[in-house]
Every structure is written in structure tokens, then in C-alpha cells.
Amino acid sequence: LTQLFRPLDMLGFVYRTIRQGLIDMAAMFRLVDADVEVEDVPGAPALHIERPGIVFENVHFGYEPDRSILHGLDFEIAAGETVALVGPSGAGKSTIARLLFRFYDPQAGRILIDGQDISQVTQESLRAAIGIVPQDSVLFNDTIGYNIGYGRPHETGPAEEAAIREAARGAAILPFIDALPDGFDTEVGERGLKLSGGEKQRVAIARTLLKNPPIVILDEATSALDSRTEQEILKTLKSVARGRTTLAIAHRLSTIADSDRILVLENGRLAEQGRHADLLRRDGLYAEMWARQQADGEA
Ligand code: ATP
């Protein structure tokens, strides 16, 4: 009987290994919990970007037919602009990021990038144009070099190694890696070196720098890093945003006070938009959220 079970055990092991891989993928793109497949229209061209401006045009969306989440959302992000998206929990911030990545299609309205409707171009070209720095990056049980280069699995060799090094430098994690005895070959993850929250986020930033997309979505961590680490990460995130069109989903308003523009979302509608000082003067939802967070901070 044991003879019979050994191969089954082996199968179980293979199954668990594959399943773990899928879980890592899903967790890595926390924004991905889509269960409906969107499909390319036949003969769809690739997205062609010269000026990566983003337009949401009267976008209506709900995950379920009888529950609408976004109710006719209109906004624009100019090419190269950094816009922060804020709003109470459940307002629809992550939903906007998911629609931009086209994990779902709006029920009405359009989303345009550089004038092209994203539902009419290939998903491959769309996703190649957008980088995501998620809140919680998942690391693969592999080397730190692999974890940074992940997403470019077919490229190896000295040029790729140099590019990975440059990305690590840009994410301000190079001195940390160089100080490890095995450097970029250090095994990380469950079975290797455990990285802190801040270090993991730097790995995600390095991945994005390596991908070099014209558009980035920054999903700010809700989990508190210590304030020095947070300040350092913010500095690095700003360097990722430079020269790109950036949508920063923010939970703590202190981190986005100097954005070009702040969009305030409430119940799937744009309640207010403007710069920090303008919004404080308006004395609306943003001013209220700001006052509450200041009070919490002092408490
Ligand atoms: P938070 O700041 O808490 O992350 P958010 O503004 O990002 O919130 P979303 O995640 O966009 O909010 O969610 C908006 C609404 O959509 C919520 O009411 C949520 O329950 C609902 N929702 C999110 N994902 C799904 C899903 N996969 N299926 C059904 N409803 C969903």
C-alpha cells in the first residue's frame, strides 16, 4: 500500500508547490481579485503611448449588477502629473486602479490613455504600460536578484544584471544588498532571509523601476512603518513618480499633501479635487478627514 501512496504524495507535493506559486501571484497583485475574464477585441491594436494622460469619462461600474460602486466618474490626469486619490474606506479607490489595469470593464463610460479607449487595445500592451507598487509585496522563495528581475524571466546575462543593480540603486536598497555575504544571490522569503516591510516595498519599487512604465499606480501601505523608514520610502516613491503619470492611492493624508492634485472620492463620486491648501480652505470632506487624522496623530 505504501508503494501506491508514494507517487500520490509526490503529486501532492507538486500540487502544493504549483498552488503556492499561484497564491504568490495573486497576493503580489493584490489589486487582482477579478474572477471575470475580460477579452481583447478581435484584431485589437497595441496601446501606443506618446503622452500618457489618463481620462475617466462618465465611468459607471459595479462588481455585481444590483450594486453600483462608481456612479459616473469623470476626471483627468495629465501626462507626467502626480495625482493622489483619497477617500473613506470603501469609496472605490482600489476599484479605480483595477479598472485602469482592465481587470474589469466599466458598465458605461470610457477610460482613455493617451486618447485610446483601453477596452479597444491589447491587454498585454496596456499592462506593460502600467507599473504597480502594491501595499504588501510578496517575495518568491528565490534570490533577491530574481525577485527584482521578476517579470522579465527571459532575460539573463551581464546587461540584465547591470539593469537589476541600477534598479536596486534607484530603490535605495543597493547598499543593503551589497552588504549581504551573497549579495544579489541571497535567498529571501519563507526559506531564506526575511525582509522587513520597508525592504520588501523597496524590492517592489526596484521591480517597477526595472519595468520602466510610463504610468504608475502607487498603493500606499496602510501598515505603519516607523516614521524614519516611511520618510525614506516616500522619498524613493517620489523618484519613481518623477517623469511618469502617477496615481497614488493614499490612506494617510500627510503623505500626499504636496501632490500636484488630490482627488477626493466619496461613495463612488468625485466629491472634491484640488491642492492640499485649496481643499483645506473648502472645509469639506478632505478638511474633515485631515482634521481627524491630525487629531489621531496627536493622540
Ligand atoms: P480601502 O481604502 O478600504 O482600501 P477603497 O476605497 O479602495 O477602500 P474599494 O476596494 O475600491 O474601496 O471598494 C469599493 C467597494 O466595492 C466596497 O464597497 C467593496 O466592498 C466593493 N468591492 C470591492 N471589491 C469587490 C469584489 N471583488 N466584489 C464585490 N464587491 C467588491
Side-chain angles (χ1 to χ4, degrees), residues 38-177:
V38 295
E39 282 179 12
D40 287 355
V41 293
L47 175 66
H48 177 71
I49 298 188
E50 279 170 22
R51 296 190 52 74
I54 300 169
V55 176
F56 271 60
E57 207 177 78
N58 191 28
V59 171
H60 288 262
F61 176 74
Y63 294 92
E64 290 132 17
D66 52 355
R67 188 170 164 236
S68 174
I69 303 288
L70 303 178
H71 322 278
L73 197 60
D74 279 303
F75 66 84
E76 288 191 34
I77 305 177
E81 193 183 19
T82 295
V83 164
L85 188 58
V86 305
S89 179
K93 302 181 294 292
S94 304
T95 302
I96 289 174
R98 291 182 191 125
L99 289 176
L100 193 56
F101 227 67
R102 204 177 165 219
F103 291 128
Y104 302 93
D105 283 324
Q107 273 96 34
R110 297 193 305 167
I111 301 169
L112 310 169
I113 293 180
D114 198 0
Q116 298 146 78
D117 185 335
I118 63 167
S119 69
Q120 302 300 309
V121 299
T122 62
Q123 289 168 70
E124 195 191 354
S125 64
L126 173 69
R127 290 172 192 176
I130 304 174
I132 295 186
V133 180
Q135 307 192 1
D136 298 302
S137 305
V138 171
L139 296 182
F140 299 97
N141 287 315
D142 207 305
T143 64
I144 195 159
Y146 175 88
N147 273 283
I148 293 175
Y150 172 81
R152 313 211 304 179
H154 305 303
E155 298 178 45
T156 49
E160 180 69 358
E161 276 172 31
I164 289 177
R165 235 188 124 69
E166 258 328 285
R169 191 194 309 280
I173 196 176
L174 186 59
F176 169 82
I177 296 173

